Amino acid sequence: MSDRHWISLPDALAMVKRAQEAPPTLVKGWSIDGAIISEILAQPGARSLRAYLAATEEGVATLVFLGVDAGGRDMTKGVIAEYALPCPPLCDSASPFSGL
């Protein structure tokens, strides 16, 4: 279980609201552990994944992930995750995306 990525609905809403109220400091990209994505998609009724732009308390852009059901509705009572690792500083220097 990747519980270090789990966040509560109130925390997720606060992070997304923070990003909407003040533009966060942008990063090139993020990486997130595949186990938490698998947990979200393994939930009964999950058909896809949705990511919302959010911001940490420090104002750095991040993403909030949650499942989406067959009707296109956010699964707000299920697993919600964050703690995406930002690039920089955690980048793949050999990636063609690094130079962009």
Side-chain angles (χ1 to χ4, degrees):
M1 185 167 81
S2 300
D3 60 326
R4 70 182 192 92
H5 292 283
W6 286 37
I7 59 172
S8 68
L9 178 59
D11 287 346
L13 291 170
M15 293 175 76
V16 171
K17 183 177 181 183
R18 195 178 301 127
Q20 292 173 351
E21 290 177 345
T25 302
L26 295 179
V27 296
K28 288 184 178 185
W30 300 269
S31 63
I32 189 163
D33 190 289
I36 191 65
I37 300 301
S38 295
E39 285 182 52
I40 292 170
L41 293 174
Q43 296 174 105
R47 296 293 176 260
S48 61
L49 181 74
R50 182 164 287 133
Y52 284 97
L53 180 62
T56 64
E57 289 182 2
E58 295 78 23
V60 177
T62 189
L63 298 171
V64 167
F65 301 90
L66 67 159
V68 178
D69 68 17
R73 294 175 295 270
D74 289 346
M75 297 176 64
T76 58
K77 294 184 179 166
V79 176
I80 302 174
E82 194 272 324
Y83 303 113
L85 303 174
C87 166
L90 303 170
C91 301
D92 174 4
S93 61
S95 171
F97 291 98
S98 292
L100 299 177

